[in-house]
């Protein structure tokens, strides 16, 4: 008689969390986690180490599975740690007076960039108003007139002296648009006509020509003297202008210099501005030109004076005036322009023009002096920004370039901003698979990302960690401005966290899933106008999420209920057992029962896996079939040759079968077929088997049990139905309340087993049997029936072989010795 099977008590089918054990009323007053992350010691250590290493090579890669909150963990921890660090400087771009097409970056203490921009704008505006007034004043006009009078007096004296010498030599001095010229004169002092010149003798002409040449030399000397007087005048007037400009400009700038005495770059820039204003003082002496106004705005070129003054503007590139501590930047769209900045352009009369005021920063500039977080998969989608980022980290500077220049393609005429020194820690977040690919195939990656933290996706389930889950969700609620959870809500969320891991001793660290449940639970709390999210709303959110994603599951169950997909839940069948599988539709997994059948016939081909032959079986499933074949040979092939031909199949399976979790069920079906003893169809089986007949744990045990329970519940619970599972999977059970209640009322049963023998006793109702000292199985046991069947099959096979051999010999004796016919 079979032994009474061991059955799992209903109170071990699901872990529950007692809200009172949490010792909280709600998450409202729960303190945030001091380390800023939930159960991720590796992440905390890696981030701390990476932050403390000054070298740009010690960047960080956080590896983990989706929904573990990689980016959230990095942001949360870095922001907490960075708030106590030094605020980085402001960066500004200014006009390069020596190389106008290469704007120069300058840096100042945080908050000083805006002030410099405002002060320079006010300076230029003030000078544009004051300088014309000063140069239009009576005092300036008097001084300028005095200088000019001296020049005019000296010029007049030189001309009069030249004119007297010309008269003495028979010439008169005349002025025209071309300049001065000497003309022969009559005795009366009138210009000599052409007719009068022609009447002169040859001797008089030569004499006149000689006197004209001498006078021309004197006139040239006089012109040089006049030019020297003009130069002297311009110098004196320029000196006068500079004295006035120095007085006006110097007074204002010196006042600013006192304000920026600790800003070296700002002081240097002010000196450059002052020198350029002196060189271009004429631009400031002009009064602003009036813009034409009309009913229709017409695009006009920028006025010359405004264009001139624009070069004195300050482009506040990075403003850290409101930054607290070091910046922590998350770039969710890491294309080239978003990372490295750009030079914008504006269309003017059909042409694209730009200047240094149109230089815009990228994420690297904003994170400079702090931390930049990037999802590595998003970065790799764009390709070349990854290469540019590595170059920036190697060179220690950020260059703003046109993407076409990065590829070495043609480029248009534009400005080339000077590079800015780079002092940033880059934090990549992504899967461990991507990390391995980059580490192996990109030789620069290990050099630049020396710090790796592989994040876990679960932690131990205990009261301390239940409270930590509550604290983490409380922090999330504060950050997202959501309602908080009460103690029952935290307890239900902790139970759901255990469901996600499939292990009652572990909590899930997939923060994304938990956060989504809290958001949805708040929706239901708002509908009832409740202040806190309790257990009821969390449970409703979980149920709603599952229902929205379970269309495929419902359709499969519908086909089973309508017997389109054939699953039996009562009666006995030889060589047939209900196996359990897990199907996944991406964001939803569910259990589905499958009929597994085995047939046995004479032959030596062994066990044939029909799924493999049809190319619908994966390598792991094939391995499981090979293992159960080894089990048959070890237990029944010690005293005979196994002469067996058998086939195994998943009935009504039209997709790929993978995994070894059905190997135990396949072995049960095969032994049933060999022993010709039926299996009770009200039971389903899951578990993998070793060569020694041990039942090994599998995944998705809760979903598998629930899937078979739903079918039995629909067809009617008889009180004898249930599921056989590996004993080592008991700790993974997190079954829904409906299943727990049915087990409690003895309407459904869950049997844990450790060996194939235990499972056979439950499924067939006979003891499997163990070999005696003589190496045989006791009569009346299941294995004895299998052994006897295999012996009969061996005998039949040998008889068939002898008959076949005898027939071949007879054919040979009847053949012609010469031709073989």
């Amino acid at each position: 008689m079979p032994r009474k099977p061991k059955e799992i008590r209903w109170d071990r089918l699901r872990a529950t969390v007692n809200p009172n054990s949490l010792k909280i009323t709600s998450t409202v007053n729960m303190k945030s986690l001091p380390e800023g992350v939930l159960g991720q010691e590796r992440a905390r250590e890696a981030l701390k180490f990476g932050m403390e290493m000054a070298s740009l090579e010690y960047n960080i890669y956080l590896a983990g599975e989706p929904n573990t909150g990689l980016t959230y963990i990095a942001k949360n921890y870095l922001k907490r740690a960075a708030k106590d660090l030094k605020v980085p400087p402001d960066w500004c771009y200014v006009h390069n007076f020596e190389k106008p097409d290469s704007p120069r970056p300058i840096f100042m203490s945080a908050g000083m960039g805006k002030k410099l921009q405002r002060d320079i704008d006010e300076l230029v505006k003030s000078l544009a108003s004051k300088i014309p007034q000063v140069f239009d004043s009576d005092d300036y006009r008097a001084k300028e007139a005095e200088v000019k009078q001296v020049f005019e007096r000296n010029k007049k004296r030189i001309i009069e002296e030249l004119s007297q010498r010309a008269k003495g030599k028979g010439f008169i001095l005349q002025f025209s648009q071309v300049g001065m010229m000497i003309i022969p004169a009559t005795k009366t002092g009138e210009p000599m006509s052409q007719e009068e010149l022609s009447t002169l003798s040859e001797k008089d002409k030569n004499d006149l020509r000689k006197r004209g040449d001498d006078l021309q030399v004197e006139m040239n000397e006089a012109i040089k003297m006049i030019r020297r007087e003009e130069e002297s005048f311009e110098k004196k007037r320029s000196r006068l202008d500079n004295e006035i400009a120095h007085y006006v400009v110097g007074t204002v700038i010196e006042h600013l210099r006192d304000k920026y005495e600790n800003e070296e770059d700002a002081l240097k820039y002010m000196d450059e501005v002052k020198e350029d204003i002196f060189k271009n003082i004429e631009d400031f002496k002009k009064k602003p030109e009036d813009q034409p106004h009309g009913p229709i705005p017409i695009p006009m070129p920028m006025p010359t004076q405004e264009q001139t003054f624009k070069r004195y503007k300050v482009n506040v590139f990075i403003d850290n005036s409101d930054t607290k501590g070091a910046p922590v930047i998350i770039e969710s769209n890491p294309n080239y322009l978003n990372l490295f900045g750009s030079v914008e352009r504006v269309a003017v009369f059909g042409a694209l023009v730009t200047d240094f005021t149109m230089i815009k920063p990228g994420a690297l500039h904003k994170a400079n002096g702090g931390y930049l977080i990037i999802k590595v998969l998003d970065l790799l989608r764009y390709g070349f920004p990854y290469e540019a980022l590595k170059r920036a980290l190697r060179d220690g500077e950020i260059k703003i370039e046109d993407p076409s220049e990065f590829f070495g393609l043609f480029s248009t005429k534009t400005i080339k901003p000077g590079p800015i020194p780079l002092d940033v820690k880059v934090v990549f977040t992504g899967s461990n698979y991507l990390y391995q690919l980059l580490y192996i195939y990109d030789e620069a990656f290990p050099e630049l990302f020396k710090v790796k933290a592989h994040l876990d996706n679960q932690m131990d389930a205990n009261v301390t960690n239940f409270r930590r889950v509550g604290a983490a969700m409380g922090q999330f609620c504060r950050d997202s401005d959501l309602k908080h959870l009460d103690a029952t809500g935290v307890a239900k969320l902790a139970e759901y966290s255990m469901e996600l891991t499939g292990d009652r001793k572990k909590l899930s660290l997939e923060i994304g899933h938990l956060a989504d449940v809290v958001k949805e639970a708040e929706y239901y709390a708002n509908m009832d106008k409740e202040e806190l999210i309790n257990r009821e709303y969390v449970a409703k959110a979980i149920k709603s999420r599952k229902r929205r994603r379970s269309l495929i599951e419902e359709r499969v169950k519908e086909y089973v209920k309508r017997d389109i997909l054939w699953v039996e839940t009562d009666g006995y069948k030889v060589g047939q057992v209900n196996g359990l599988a897990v199907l996944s539709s991406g964001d939803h997994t569910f259990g589905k029962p499958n009929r597994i059948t085995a047939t046995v016939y004479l032959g030596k081909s062994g066990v044939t896996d029909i799924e493999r032959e049809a190319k619908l079986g994966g390598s792991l499933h094939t391995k499981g079939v090979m293992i159960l074949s080894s089990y048959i040979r070890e237990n029944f092939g010690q005293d005979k040759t196994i002469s067996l031909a058998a086939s195994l199949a998943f009935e009504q399976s039209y997709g790929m079968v993978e995994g070894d979790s059905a190997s135990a069920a396949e072995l049960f079906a095969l032994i049933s077929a060999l022993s010709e003893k039926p299996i009770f169809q009200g039971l389903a089986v899951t578990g993998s088997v070793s060569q020694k007949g041990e039942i090994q744990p599998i995944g998705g045990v809760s979903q598998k049990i629930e899937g078979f329970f739903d079918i039995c519940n629909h067809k009617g619970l008889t009180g004898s139905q249930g599921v056989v599972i590996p004993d080592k999977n008991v700790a993974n059970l997190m079954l829904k309340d409906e299943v727990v209640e049915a087990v409690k009322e003895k309407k459904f049963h869950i049997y844990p087993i450790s060996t194939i023998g235990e499972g056979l006793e439950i499924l067939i109702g006979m003891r499997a049997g163990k070999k005696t000292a003589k190496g045989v199985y006791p009569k009346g046991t299941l294995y004895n029936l299998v052994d006897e069947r295999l012996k009969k099959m061996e005998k039949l096979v040998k008889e068939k072989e002898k008959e076949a051999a005898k027939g071949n010999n007879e054919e040979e004796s009847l053949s012609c010795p010469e031709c073989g016919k």
Side-chain angles (χ1 to χ4, degrees):
M1 291 294 292
R3 291 164 292 191
K4 183 179 180 181
K6 181 174 64 173
E7 189 174 349
I8 304 175
R9 284 173 49 85
W10 66 272
D11 54 357
R12 296 184 61 200
L13 301 179
R14 178 179 182 84
T16 58
V17 179
N18 185 355
N20 295 327
S21 67
L22 302 178
K23 298 180 181 179
I24 62 171
T25 54
S26 73
T27 59
V28 174
N29 297 319
M30 293 190 76
K31 293 183 178 180
S32 301
L33 299 175
E35 66 275 17
V37 296
L38 178 62
Q40 295 290 6
E41 285 72 18
R42 289 186 183 87
R44 189 165 63 251
E45 291 173 8
L47 292 168
K48 184 175 184 294
F49 177 73
M51 290 176 68
E52 292 175 352
M53 295 300 293
S55 173
L56 285 176
E57 297 175 347
Y58 283 86
N59 297 290
I60 305 163
Y61 190 105
L62 290 185
E65 298 178 9
N67 290 308
T68 52
L70 293 172
T71 302
Y72 178 79
I73 288 171
K75 178 193 72 171
N76 220 17
Y77 182 85
L78 290 174
K79 282 192 172 182
R80 287 171 176 268
K83 67 181 181 180
D84 297 325
L85 300 180
K86 182 181 177 182
V87 179
D90 288 349
W91 282 95
C92 303
Y93 269 105
V94 296
H95 181 69
N96 190 332
F97 296 101
E98 293 182 359
K99 296 179 180 179
D101 61 342
S102 298
R104 189 166 64 84
I106 64 173
F107 77 94
M108 287 168 290
S109 303
M112 296 301 290
K114 273 187 175 180
K115 293 180 181 179
L116 180 65
Q117 181 188 54
R118 183 175 61 250
D119 289 340
I120 292 296
D121 285 347
E122 291 178 357
L123 168 70
V124 173
K125 184 177 179 181
S126 175
L127 293 178
S129 174
K130 288 183 178 179
I131 290 176
Q133 293 177 6
V134 172
F135 282 97
D136 198 36
S137 64
D138 293 338
D139 184 50
Y140 171 78
R141 291 183 179 278
K143 291 180 180 180
E144 183 187 35
E146 183 180 344
V147 174
K148 193 170 185 178
Q149 284 176 4
V150 173
F151 164 69
E152 293 294 342
R153 188 167 54 249
N154 291 338
K155 180 181 178 182
K156 184 177 180 181
R157 175 179 55 77
I158 294 169
I159 293 173
E160 286 179 352
E161 290 177 355
L162 180 62
S163 180
Q164 290 298 323
R165 287 195 295 274
K167 286 181 181 179
K169 294 183 179 182
F171 287 86
I172 60 175
L173 192 65
Q174 281 193 347
F175 296 90
S176 69
Q177 293 181 347
V178 179
M180 290 189 298
M181 63 180 64
I182 51 174
I183 300 174
T186 62
K187 293 180 179 180
T188 60
E190 296 295 327
M192 187 178 290
S193 65
Q194 199 66 29
E195 291 79 3
E196 291 175 325
L197 282 172
S198 60
T199 59
L200 295 175
S201 64
E202 194 64 31
K203 181 180 179 182
D204 291 337
K205 288 181 179 179
N206 290 335
D207 181 58
L208 182 64
R209 188 177 297 112
K210 184 177 182 303
R211 284 184 283 117
D213 291 341
D214 293 341
L215 191 58
Q216 185 67 43
V217 173
E218 293 181 14
M219 186 180 69
N220 289 339
E221 185 63 31
I223 291 173
K224 290 180 181 179
M225 292 175 65
I226 292 173
R227 286 177 179 171
R228 284 195 292 271
E229 289 296 330
E230 287 178 346
E231 290 176 0
S232 176
F233 166 68
E234 290 297 333
K235 287 181 180 180
K236 290 179 180 179
R237 189 172 68 172
S238 178
R239 192 179 301 117
L240 175 62
D241 289 353
N242 284 338
E243 288 176 359
I244 295 175
H246 273 80
Y247 173 76
V248 178
V249 177
T251 303
V252 178
I253 289 184
E254 284 303 319
H255 174 70
L256 286 182
R257 288 180 66 87
D258 295 339
K259 188 176 180 180
Y260 296 90
E261 59 181 353
N262 296 322
E263 307 294 341
E264 184 177 344
D265 278 14
L267 294 176
K268 182 179 178 182
Y269 175 63
M270 288 180 194
D271 291 340
E272 293 174 355
V273 169
K274 183 169 68 173
E275 290 301 320
D276 191 75
I277 291 175
F278 292 157
K279 291 178 183 177
N280 299 279
I281 196 67
E282 292 298 325
D283 294 328
F284 283 86
K285 290 167 68 175
K286 300 173 185 176
K287 293 183 178 180
E289 300 170 6
D290 294 331
Q291 288 278 14
H293 298 284
I296 301 176
I298 301 175
M300 297 287 292
M302 189 175 290
T304 303
Q305 189 181 59
E306 187 176 346
Q307 180 64 53
T308 301
F309 293 167
K310 191 173 185 180
R311 69 172 178 256
Y312 301 120
K313 285 185 172 293
V314 175
N315 177 6
V316 181
F317 191 62
I318 294 296
D319 175 29
N320 285 312
S321 56
D322 296 327
T323 304
K324 307 297 182 184
V328 178
I329 303 298
I330 300 176
E331 182 50 64
S332 58
N333 183 24
N335 60 40
Y336 185 83
L337 298 182
N338 286 351
L339 277 179
F340 290 88
S342 62
V343 179
E344 295 182 344
R345 294 168 175 83
V346 62
V348 177
F349 291 101
L352 295 176
V353 297
T354 187
D355 57 57
F356 72 95
T357 63
M358 298 183 192
I359 305 172
K360 304 301 178 184
L364 274 174
H365 299 101
K366 297 173 184 177
N368 207 10
Y371 306 92
L372 176 61
I373 303 171
I374 302 174
K375 289 183 179 179
V376 68
L377 184 59
D378 293 340
L379 180 66
L380 294 176
R381 283 194 179 104
Y382 291 103
F384 75 90
Y386 173 63
E387 295 298 326
L389 177 60
K390 290 190 297 181
R391 186 185 67 178
L393 292 173
R394 283 195 304 264
D395 297 345
E397 62 180 21
I398 320 170
K399 294 180 180 178
I400 300 177
E401 298 176 312
D402 192 278
S404 60
E405 293 182 18
F406 184 82
F407 286 112
L409 304 176
F410 66 89
S411 62
T412 57
K413 176 68 176 177
T414 185
I415 59 176
K416 294 185 177 181
I420 290 178
L422 180 62
D423 177 22
V424 70
K425 283 298 173 69
V426 178
V427 180
F428 278 170
T429 62
S431 68
N432 190 56
Y433 177 69
L434 279 177
Y435 177 85
Q436 296 297 335
L437 289 178
L438 292 171
Y439 192 90
I440 295 170
Y441 294 107
D442 183 1
E443 59 183 16
F445 178 78
E447 296 300 320
L448 294 173
F449 289 84
K450 293 181 180 292
V451 183
K452 177 200 175 185
H454 197 164
L455 272 64
D456 201 350
N457 64 345
Q458 54 186 229
M459 63 181 179
D460 293 338
N462 52 49
V463 174
T464 300
N465 285 338
F466 295 157
R467 287 179 55 84
R468 296 179 78 192
V469 168
M473 289 300 101
Q475 181 178 326
F476 171 73
C477 291
R478 283 188 289 273
D479 294 342
S480 305
D481 195 24
L482 301 176
K483 292 181 184 297
H484 282 265
L485 294 93
D486 67 7
T488 64
V490 174
K492 182 60 181 176
L493 198 65
E495 292 174 12
Y496 177 64
S497 179
M498 286 185 275
E499 287 183 26
L500 292 177
T501 63
D503 191 339
R504 289 183 296 177
K505 295 183 178 181
K506 294 292 181 179
L507 290 172
S508 173
L509 288 175
E510 294 182 358
I511 303 300
H513 286 318
L514 301 182
D516 290 342
V517 169
V518 171
K519 289 179 183 177
E520 193 164 332
E522 191 213 26
Y523 167 76
Y524 296 117
N526 285 333
M527 290 180 65
D528 290 345
K529 297 181 180 180
E530 291 288 339
E531 292 299 321
L532 295 173
I533 302 171
N534 60 29
R535 182 185 187 89
E536 175 189 348
Y537 300 125
V538 174
K540 192 172 183 179
I542 295 170
K543 186 176 181 179
S544 297
R545 286 167 61 83
K546 288 181 178 179
R547 175 170 174 75
R548 290 196 300 269
R549 302 173 180 181
S550 62
L551 176 62
I552 297 176
E553 177 184 4
E554 291 177 2
R555 190 58 50 84
V556 169
K557 288 179 179 178
E558 178 188 347
Y559 289 158
V560 173
K561 292 172 183 178
R562 294 169 57 191
D563 285 333
I564 296 173
L565 292 177
W566 187 11
V567 176
E568 296 186 38
T569 60
D570 203 0
Y572 291 84
K573 285 286 184 71
V574 174
Q576 176 174 301
V577 69
N578 289 320
L580 296 173
V582 171
L583 300 184
S584 174
S585 58
D587 58 353
H588 181 64
T589 57
F590 59 94
K592 173 185 174 293
N594 273 97
R595 282 186 305 128
I596 298 175
T597 59
T599 58
V600 177
Y601 42 91
L602 287 179
K604 288 187 175 182
S605 60
V607 179
T608 299
D609 177 13
I610 291 179
E611 309 304 321
R612 179 190 176 191
E613 296 300 318
K615 297 183 179 180
L616 290 175
S619 56
L620 293 178
H621 177 260
T622 301
K623 177 185 176 183
V625 174
M626 294 172 70
I627 287 174
L628 67 88
S629 300
S630 298
Y631 178 81
I632 294 292
R633 290 189 179 94
E634 182 184 33
N635 284 274
F636 304 104
Q638 302 297 326
D639 56 354
K640 58 184 169 297
T641 301
I642 298 294
S643 300
L644 171 67
S647 61
L648 294 169
F650 277 68
E651 303 296 345
Q652 291 185 293
S653 173
Y654 308 107
M656 181 64 68
V657 176
E658 180 59 302
D660 63 350
S661 66
S663 58
E666 289 172 318
L667 183 54
F668 291 142
L670 182 59
I671 291 175
S672 170
L674 285 168
S675 65
E676 297 182 319
K677 289 294 181 179
I679 292 175
F680 177 52
Q681 300 300 296
L683 295 175
V685 181
T686 184
S688 69
V689 65
S690 71
Q691 292 190 109
K692 300 299 182 180
E694 301 155 330
I695 302 299
Q696 302 169 141
I698 42 78
V701 63
S702 295
Q703 290 95 328
K704 292 176 179 179
I705 294 172
E706 291 171 355
F708 188 66
F709 171 80
D710 289 341
I711 301 303
C712 293
N713 192 33
H714 170 74
K715 293 191 173 185
L717 293 174
T718 63
S720 57
Q721 296 150 330
V723 175
V724 178
I725 67 170
D727 183 66
K728 292 186 180 296
N729 277 124
V730 174
N732 304 125
L733 294 177
M734 282 294 293
L735 298 173
K736 59 185 180 181
D737 295 336
E738 192 177 357
V739 179
V740 175
E741 191 63 27
V743 172
K744 184 178 180 181
E745 295 175 359
K746 302 295 183 180
K747 294 180 179 179
F748 196 76
H749 309 273
I750 299 175
Y751 303 104
I753 61 173
S754 300
T755 64
I756 284 292
E758 293 176 9
L760 289 169
E761 291 184 22
I762 297 171
L763 293 167
I764 298 178
M766 287 183 65
R767 286 204 176 191
K770 291 184 179 181
K771 284 184 177 181
T772 65
K774 295 181 180 181
V776 297
Y777 290 105
K779 290 186 177 182
T781 63
L782 195 61
Y783 280 5
N784 177 260
L785 296 176
V786 173
D787 196 45
E788 293 297 323
R789 176 81 183 277
L790 288 172
K791 286 177 181 178
K792 290 179 182 179
M793 294 176 72
E794 180 192 25
K795 184 178 180 181
L796 288 171
V797 168
K798 287 181 178 179
E799 290 176 355
K800 294 291 183 182
E801 288 176 346
K802 286 181 180 179
E803 291 177 2
K806 183 178 180 181
N808 290 336
N809 291 333
E810 291 176 353
E811 288 181 6
E812 289 177 3
S813 65
L814 295 173
S815 63
C816 174
E818 294 182 0
C819 64
K821 296 182 179 179

